[in-house]
């Protein structure tokens, strides 16, 4: 059974800092991995999707990397802003089927 | 497009009552997913459909839960009878192709007293 863990569970940083969120998964036979953002009381918004054959994806100040063999992904946020404050979730899709397994999430607070 | 639409946004009911949650996926999306989010268990997939057909319902907790998709633009998740432990936020999501980005609705916050 796939298990996805995110460390740290919570993070508080001052505005302007670069930061890294971590995601690890136990079964490396994945099809892809997604990073989502969830604001309080809202649904999830997809940030980046990395296919299993890719090493990284970039969107603006966000960069996600994937090391499938070691079961790890990182989300790098450059020059953090208060508007980045949210919970960040990673999710893995298995080699077959569309059942995503979500991580436990990292709650990020960026202080002005 | 208006995105994935869910109703109601909030629901408060008493134990034993029937609860029906509704979802309208993004037009043209062939896949629809129902998730449940709680503090204890995080975000879990309950069931998903492809072209209105249930593909994987292994996450449905028990027989009290049922989901239907009578057409491409509408799905329901029903709980009968409801119990306090069903209190959670229920999300609906859709996607156009297998393996592609899933787009989530705003969720329905359910409280069973």
């Amino acid at each position: 059974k796939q298990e996805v863990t995110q460390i740290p569970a919570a993070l508080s940083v001052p505005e302007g800092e670069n930061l890294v969120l971590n995601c690890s998964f136990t079964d490396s036979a994945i099809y892809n991995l997604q990073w989502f953002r969830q604001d309080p009381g809202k649904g999830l918004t997809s940030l980046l999707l990395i296919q299993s054959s890719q090493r990284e994806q970039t969107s603006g100040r966000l960069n996600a990397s994937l090391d499938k063999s070691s079961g790890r992904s990182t989300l790098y946020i450059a020059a953090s802003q208060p508007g980045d404050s949210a919970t960040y979730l990673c999710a893995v899709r298995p080699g077959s089927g569309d059942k995503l397994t979500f991580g436990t999430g990292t709650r990020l607070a960026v202080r002005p | 497009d208006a995105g994935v639409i869910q109703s109601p946004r909030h629901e408060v009911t008493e134990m034993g009552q029937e609860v029906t949650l509704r979802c309208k996926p993004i037009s043209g999306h062939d896949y629809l997913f129902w998730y449940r989010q709680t503090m204890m268990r995080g975000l879990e997939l309950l069931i998903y459909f492809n072209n209105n057909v249930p593909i994987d319902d292994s996450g449905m907790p028990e027989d009290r839960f049922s989901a239907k998709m009578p057409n491409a633009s509408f799905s329901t998740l029903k709980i009968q009878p409801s119990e306090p432990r069903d209190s959670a936020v229920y999300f609906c999501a859709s996607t156009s192709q297998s393996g592609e980005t899933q787009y989530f609705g705003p969720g329905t916050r359910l409280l069973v007293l």
Side-chain angles (χ1 to χ4, degrees):
Chain A
K1 177 187 173 185
Q2 178 74 273
E3 293 184 3
V4 183
T5 305
Q6 292 184 243
I7 294 174
L11 182 64
S12 178
V13 301
E15 181 177 3
E17 270 204 9
N18 302 324
L19 58 101
V20 175
L21 307 181
N22 297 290
C23 172
S24 61
F25 46 95
T26 55
D27 186 349
S28 63
I30 66 170
Y31 184 83
N32 61 37
L33 181 146
Q34 282 187 257
W35 282 93
F36 291 87
R37 168 186 172 137
Q38 184 175 25
D39 292 284
K42 301 285 182 64
L44 279 68
T45 301
S46 180
L47 298 173
L48 290 164
L49 184 152
I50 312 177
Q51 301 294 348
S52 61
S53 58
Q54 297 175 319
R55 298 285 293 183
E56 64 179 82
Q57 280 284 342
T58 298
S59 176
R61 294 182 295 107
L62 305 180
N63 176 278
S65 68
L66 174 64
D67 185 342
K68 200 175 78 161
S69 61
S70 67
R72 293 182 181 178
S73 175
T74 61
L75 179 66
Y76 174 83
I77 302 177
S80 59
Q81 303 171 358
D84 296 329
S85 299
T87 296
Y88 291 81
L89 297 130
C90 66
V92 298
R93 179 179 180 261
S96 63
D98 283 272
K99 184 174 182 176
L100 294 183
T101 300
F102 280 83
T104 46
T106 293
R107 190 168 60 253
L108 172 65
V110 181
R111 308 185 301 272
Chain B
D1 199 314
V4 176
I5 299 172
Q6 291 187 247
S7 64
R9 293 293 311 277
H10 302 273
E11 178 83 22
V12 180
T13 190
E14 293 187 345
M15 182 174 62
Q17 297 298 306
E18 177 179 293
V19 175
T20 299
L21 311 181
R22 298 173 175 79
C23 175
K24 176 179 169 55
I26 293 173
S27 177
H29 282 192
D30 294 330
Y31 289 80
L32 183 140
F33 305 81
W34 282 102
Y35 291 92
R36 178 172 67 177
Q37 186 175 39
T38 62
M39 289 293 292
M40 291 297 295
R41 300 176 65 89
L43 197 61
E44 302 174 291
L45 177 68
L46 299 177
I47 184 171
Y48 79 91
F49 295 84
N50 179 24
N51 291 322
N52 313 336
V53 176
I55 302 301
D56 186 339
D57 64 355
S58 60
M60 294 287 265
E62 49 198 273
D63 292 344
R64 296 184 299 105
F65 285 69
S66 62
K68 293 182 180 180
M69 192 162 186
N71 58 62
S73 59
F74 183 68
S75 176
T76 60
L77 178 67
K78 187 174 294 186
I79 308 173
Q80 167 63 21
S82 57
E83 297 182 3
R85 60 192 168 120
D86 301 330
S87 298
V89 182
Y90 292 81
F91 289 104
C92 177
S94 70
T95 188
S96 57
Q97 295 183 32
S98 176
E100 293 301 312
T101 297
Q102 293 185 19
Y103 295 87
F104 281 70
T108 294
R109 190 172 297 273
L110 174 65
L111 177 61
V112 183
L113 302 173

Short mmCIF file of all heavy atoms in Angstrom, two decimals, chain A residues 2 25 27-34 49-55 66 68 91-101, chain B residues 31 95 97-102:
data_model
loop_
_atom_site.label_atom_id
_atom_site.label_comp_id
_atom_site.label_asym_id
_atom_site.label_seq_id
_atom_site.Cartn_x
_atom_site.Cartn_y
_atom_site.Cartn_z
N GLN A 2 0.58 2.17 -0.90
CA GLN A 2 1.38 3.40 -1.02
C GLN A 2 1.15 4.29 0.20
O GLN A 2 0.01 4.50 0.63
CB GLN A 2 0.97 4.13 -2.29
CG GLN A 2 1.66 5.46 -2.55
CD GLN A 2 3.10 5.31 -2.99
OE1 GLN A 2 3.98 5.24 -2.14
NE2 GLN A 2 3.35 5.31 -4.29
N PHE A 25 7.51 8.94 -0.68
CA PHE A 25 6.51 7.90 -0.92
C PHE A 25 7.19 6.54 -0.89
O PHE A 25 8.38 6.41 -1.21
CB PHE A 25 5.78 8.13 -2.25
CG PHE A 25 6.66 8.48 -3.41
CD1 PHE A 25 7.11 7.50 -4.29
CD2 PHE A 25 7.04 9.80 -3.64
CE1 PHE A 25 7.92 7.83 -5.37
CE2 PHE A 25 7.85 10.14 -4.71
CZ PHE A 25 8.30 9.15 -5.58
N ASP A 27 6.22 3.47 -2.42
CA ASP A 27 6.22 2.64 -3.62
C ASP A 27 6.66 3.48 -4.81
O ASP A 27 5.97 4.42 -5.19
CB ASP A 27 4.81 2.07 -3.85
CG ASP A 27 4.76 1.08 -5.01
OD1 ASP A 27 5.76 0.99 -5.76
OD2 ASP A 27 3.73 0.42 -5.16
N SER A 28 7.80 3.16 -5.38
CA SER A 28 8.36 3.99 -6.45
C SER A 28 7.71 3.74 -7.81
O SER A 28 8.02 4.43 -8.78
CB SER A 28 9.87 3.75 -6.55
OG SER A 28 10.12 2.39 -6.90
N ALA A 29 6.81 2.78 -7.90
CA ALA A 29 6.13 2.48 -9.17
C ALA A 29 4.98 3.46 -9.39
O ALA A 29 3.81 3.08 -9.33
CB ALA A 29 5.61 1.05 -9.17
N ILE A 30 5.34 4.71 -9.63
CA ILE A 30 4.32 5.74 -9.81
C ILE A 30 4.25 6.18 -11.26
O ILE A 30 5.22 6.03 -12.01
CB ILE A 30 4.57 6.96 -8.90
CG1 ILE A 30 5.86 7.69 -9.31
CG2 ILE A 30 4.63 6.53 -7.44
CD1 ILE A 30 6.04 9.03 -8.61
N TYR A 31 3.12 6.75 -11.63
CA TYR A 31 2.93 7.29 -12.98
C TYR A 31 3.31 8.77 -13.01
O TYR A 31 3.94 9.25 -13.93
CB TYR A 31 1.48 7.10 -13.40
CG TYR A 31 1.17 7.53 -14.81
CD1 TYR A 31 1.42 6.69 -15.89
CD2 TYR A 31 0.63 8.79 -15.06
CE1 TYR A 31 1.13 7.08 -17.18
CE2 TYR A 31 0.33 9.19 -16.35
CZ TYR A 31 0.59 8.34 -17.41
OH TYR A 31 0.31 8.74 -18.69
N ASN A 32 2.86 9.50 -11.99
CA ASN A 32 3.24 10.89 -11.84
C ASN A 32 3.04 11.35 -10.41
O ASN A 32 2.50 10.61 -9.58
CB ASN A 32 2.50 11.81 -12.82
CG ASN A 32 1.00 11.81 -12.63
OD1 ASN A 32 0.49 11.73 -11.52
ND2 ASN A 32 0.26 11.93 -13.73
N LEU A 33 3.49 12.56 -10.14
CA LEU A 33 3.34 13.16 -8.81
C LEU A 33 2.89 14.60 -9.01
O LEU A 33 3.35 15.29 -9.90
CB LEU A 33 4.67 13.12 -8.05
CG LEU A 33 4.69 13.68 -6.62
CD1 LEU A 33 5.66 12.88 -5.74
CD2 LEU A 33 5.04 15.14 -6.58
N GLN A 34 1.94 15.01 -8.17
CA GLN A 34 1.41 16.37 -8.26
C GLN A 34 1.62 17.08 -6.94
O GLN A 34 1.52 16.47 -5.87
CB GLN A 34 -0.09 16.34 -8.55
CG GLN A 34 -0.44 16.06 -9.98
CD GLN A 34 -1.94 16.23 -10.23
OE1 GLN A 34 -2.69 15.29 -10.33
NE2 GLN A 34 -2.35 17.47 -10.33
N LEU A 49 2.71 19.25 -11.97
CA LEU A 49 2.58 17.81 -12.18
C LEU A 49 3.86 17.32 -12.83
O LEU A 49 4.28 17.88 -13.85
CB LEU A 49 1.36 17.50 -13.05
CG LEU A 49 1.02 16.02 -13.30
CD1 LEU A 49 -0.48 15.86 -13.53
CD2 LEU A 49 1.78 15.45 -14.47
N ILE A 50 4.48 16.32 -12.24
CA ILE A 50 5.72 15.76 -12.78
C ILE A 50 5.46 14.32 -13.21
O ILE A 50 5.03 13.49 -12.39
CB ILE A 50 6.86 15.76 -11.74
CG1 ILE A 50 7.00 17.10 -11.05
CG2 ILE A 50 8.17 15.37 -12.40
CD1 ILE A 50 8.07 17.10 -9.99
N GLN A 51 5.73 14.02 -14.45
CA GLN A 51 5.60 12.65 -14.91
C GLN A 51 6.77 11.83 -14.36
O GLN A 51 7.82 12.37 -14.04
CB GLN A 51 5.60 12.60 -16.43
CG GLN A 51 4.51 13.40 -17.10
CD GLN A 51 3.11 12.87 -16.82
OE1 GLN A 51 2.93 11.76 -16.30
NE2 GLN A 51 2.10 13.66 -17.14
N SER A 52 6.59 10.53 -14.28
CA SER A 52 7.62 9.67 -13.68
C SER A 52 8.94 9.71 -14.46
O SER A 52 10.00 9.45 -13.91
CB SER A 52 7.12 8.23 -13.59
OG SER A 52 6.85 7.73 -14.88
N SER A 53 8.84 10.07 -15.74
CA SER A 53 10.05 10.13 -16.58
C SER A 53 10.78 11.47 -16.46
O SER A 53 11.88 11.63 -17.00
CB SER A 53 9.67 9.89 -18.04
OG SER A 53 8.72 10.87 -18.45
N GLN A 54 10.17 12.41 -15.76
CA GLN A 54 10.76 13.74 -15.63
C GLN A 54 11.51 13.87 -14.31
O GLN A 54 11.23 13.17 -13.35
CB GLN A 54 9.67 14.82 -15.72
CG GLN A 54 8.96 14.84 -17.07
CD GLN A 54 7.82 15.83 -17.09
OE1 GLN A 54 7.06 15.94 -16.13
NE2 GLN A 54 7.69 16.55 -18.20
N ARG A 55 12.43 14.83 -14.29
CA ARG A 55 13.19 15.10 -13.06
C ARG A 55 12.67 16.34 -12.35
O ARG A 55 12.76 16.42 -11.13
CB ARG A 55 14.66 15.30 -13.40
CG ARG A 55 15.32 14.10 -14.01
CD ARG A 55 15.59 13.03 -13.00
NE ARG A 55 16.59 13.43 -12.02
CZ ARG A 55 17.05 12.62 -11.06
NH1 ARG A 55 16.57 11.40 -10.94
NH2 ARG A 55 17.96 13.03 -10.21
N LEU A 66 11.71 15.47 -8.78
CA LEU A 66 11.27 14.11 -8.50
C LEU A 66 12.45 13.16 -8.64
O LEU A 66 13.15 13.15 -9.65
CB LEU A 66 10.17 13.68 -9.47
CG LEU A 66 9.70 12.25 -9.40
CD1 LEU A 66 9.05 11.95 -8.05
CD2 LEU A 66 8.73 11.92 -10.54
N LYS A 68 12.41 9.38 -8.41
CA LYS A 68 11.50 8.25 -8.26
C LYS A 68 12.16 7.08 -7.55
O LYS A 68 11.54 6.42 -6.71
CB LYS A 68 11.00 7.81 -9.64
CG LYS A 68 9.73 7.00 -9.59
CD LYS A 68 9.22 6.69 -10.98
CE LYS A 68 9.99 5.55 -11.61
NZ LYS A 68 9.27 4.92 -12.75
N ALA A 91 0.72 14.48 -4.08
CA ALA A 91 -0.10 13.30 -4.34
C ALA A 91 0.56 12.47 -5.43
O ALA A 91 1.06 13.02 -6.41
CB ALA A 91 -1.50 13.72 -4.77
N VAL A 92 0.55 11.17 -5.26
CA VAL A 92 1.15 10.29 -6.26
C VAL A 92 0.07 9.46 -6.93
O VAL A 92 -0.91 9.04 -6.30
CB VAL A 92 2.23 9.36 -5.65
CG1 VAL A 92 3.37 10.19 -5.09
CG2 VAL A 92 1.65 8.47 -4.58
N ARG A 93 0.25 9.25 -8.22
CA ARG A 93 -0.64 8.39 -9.00
C ARG A 93 0.11 7.11 -9.29
O ARG A 93 1.25 7.14 -9.74
CB ARG A 93 -1.06 9.08 -10.29
CG ARG A 93 -1.97 8.22 -11.17
CD ARG A 93 -2.37 8.95 -12.42
NE ARG A 93 -3.24 8.13 -13.26
CZ ARG A 93 -2.82 7.43 -14.30
NH1 ARG A 93 -1.55 7.45 -14.64
NH2 ARG A 93 -3.67 6.73 -15.02
N PRO A 94 -0.54 5.96 -9.08
CA PRO A 94 0.16 4.69 -9.32
C PRO A 94 0.36 4.43 -10.81
O PRO A 94 -0.16 5.14 -11.65
CB PRO A 94 -0.79 3.66 -8.70
CG PRO A 94 -2.13 4.29 -8.82
CD PRO A 94 -1.91 5.77 -8.62
N GLY A 95 1.07 3.36 -11.12
CA GLY A 95 1.34 3.02 -12.51
C GLY A 95 0.09 2.70 -13.30
O GLY A 95 0.05 2.91 -14.51
N SER A 96 -0.93 2.20 -12.61
CA SER A 96 -2.20 1.94 -13.29
C SER A 96 -3.33 2.46 -12.43
O SER A 96 -3.26 2.42 -11.21
CB SER A 96 -2.36 0.44 -13.55
OG SER A 96 -2.42 -0.26 -12.33
N GLY A 97 -4.38 2.91 -13.08
CA GLY A 97 -5.50 3.48 -12.34
C GLY A 97 -5.28 4.94 -12.05
O GLY A 97 -4.19 5.47 -12.24
N ASP A 98 -6.32 5.60 -11.59
CA ASP A 98 -6.25 7.04 -11.33
C ASP A 98 -6.43 7.39 -9.87
O ASP A 98 -6.74 8.53 -9.54
CB ASP A 98 -7.31 7.76 -12.17
CG ASP A 98 -6.88 7.88 -13.61
OD1 ASP A 98 -6.21 8.87 -13.93
OD2 ASP A 98 -7.21 6.98 -14.40
N LYS A 99 -6.20 6.45 -8.99
CA LYS A 99 -6.40 6.70 -7.57
C LYS A 99 -5.20 7.40 -6.99
O LYS A 99 -4.14 6.79 -6.78
CB LYS A 99 -6.65 5.37 -6.85
CG LYS A 99 -6.97 5.53 -5.38
CD LYS A 99 -7.35 4.19 -4.77
CE LYS A 99 -7.71 4.35 -3.29
NZ LYS A 99 -8.18 3.08 -2.71
N LEU A 100 -5.34 8.68 -6.70
CA LEU A 100 -4.26 9.45 -6.09
C LEU A 100 -4.14 9.12 -4.60
O LEU A 100 -5.16 8.97 -3.93
CB LEU A 100 -4.50 10.94 -6.25
CG LEU A 100 -4.47 11.53 -7.65
CD1 LEU A 100 -4.66 13.05 -7.59
CD2 LEU A 100 -3.20 11.18 -8.38
N THR A 101 -2.92 9.04 -4.13
CA THR A 101 -2.66 8.94 -2.69
C THR A 101 -2.01 10.25 -2.26
O THR A 101 -0.96 10.62 -2.79
CB THR A 101 -1.74 7.76 -2.35
OG1 THR A 101 -2.35 6.55 -2.78
CG2 THR A 101 -1.51 7.69 -0.84
N TYR B 31 -13.64 12.19 -16.32
CA TYR B 31 -13.35 11.54 -15.04
C TYR B 31 -13.88 12.41 -13.90
O TYR B 31 -13.68 13.63 -13.89
CB TYR B 31 -11.84 11.35 -14.84
CG TYR B 31 -11.23 10.30 -15.72
CD1 TYR B 31 -10.90 10.58 -17.04
CD2 TYR B 31 -10.97 9.01 -15.23
CE1 TYR B 31 -10.34 9.61 -17.85
CE2 TYR B 31 -10.41 8.04 -16.03
CZ TYR B 31 -10.09 8.35 -17.35
OH TYR B 31 -9.53 7.38 -18.14
N THR B 95 -11.28 15.55 -14.27
CA THR B 95 -10.15 15.70 -15.19
C THR B 95 -10.57 15.19 -16.56
O THR B 95 -11.50 14.40 -16.69
CB THR B 95 -8.90 14.94 -14.67
OG1 THR B 95 -7.78 15.26 -15.51
CG2 THR B 95 -9.12 13.44 -14.69
N GLN B 97 -8.49 13.66 -18.88
CA GLN B 97 -7.84 12.42 -19.31
C GLN B 97 -7.20 11.73 -18.12
O GLN B 97 -6.82 12.37 -17.14
CB GLN B 97 -6.76 12.72 -20.34
CG GLN B 97 -7.26 13.28 -21.65
CD GLN B 97 -6.12 13.47 -22.65
OE1 GLN B 97 -5.15 12.70 -22.64
NE2 GLN B 97 -6.23 14.46 -23.50
N SER B 98 -7.07 10.43 -18.24
CA SER B 98 -6.41 9.65 -17.21
C SER B 98 -5.00 10.19 -16.98
O SER B 98 -4.25 10.43 -17.91
CB SER B 98 -6.34 8.19 -17.64
OG SER B 98 -5.62 7.43 -16.71
N GLY B 99 -4.66 10.38 -15.72
CA GLY B 99 -3.32 10.81 -15.37
C GLY B 99 -3.06 12.30 -15.44
O GLY B 99 -1.98 12.76 -15.07
N GLU B 100 -4.03 13.05 -15.91
CA GLU B 100 -3.84 14.49 -16.01
C GLU B 100 -4.25 15.21 -14.72
O GLU B 100 -4.79 14.59 -13.80
CB GLU B 100 -4.65 15.03 -17.19
CG GLU B 100 -4.13 14.56 -18.54
CD GLU B 100 -2.68 14.95 -18.78
OE1 GLU B 100 -2.34 16.13 -18.56
OE2 GLU B 100 -1.89 14.07 -19.16
N THR B 101 -4.00 16.50 -14.69
CA THR B 101 -4.31 17.30 -13.51
C THR B 101 -5.78 17.19 -13.14
O THR B 101 -6.65 17.29 -14.00
CB THR B 101 -3.97 18.77 -13.77
OG1 THR B 101 -2.57 18.88 -14.01
CG2 THR B 101 -4.34 19.65 -12.59
N GLN B 102 -6.03 17.01 -11.85
CA GLN B 102 -7.41 16.99 -11.36
C GLN B 102 -7.78 18.39 -10.86
O GLN B 102 -6.99 19.04 -10.17
CB GLN B 102 -7.55 15.97 -10.22
CG GLN B 102 -7.37 14.53 -10.68
CD GLN B 102 -7.62 13.51 -9.59
OE1 GLN B 102 -8.25 13.80 -8.58
NE2 GLN B 102 -7.15 12.30 -9.80
#
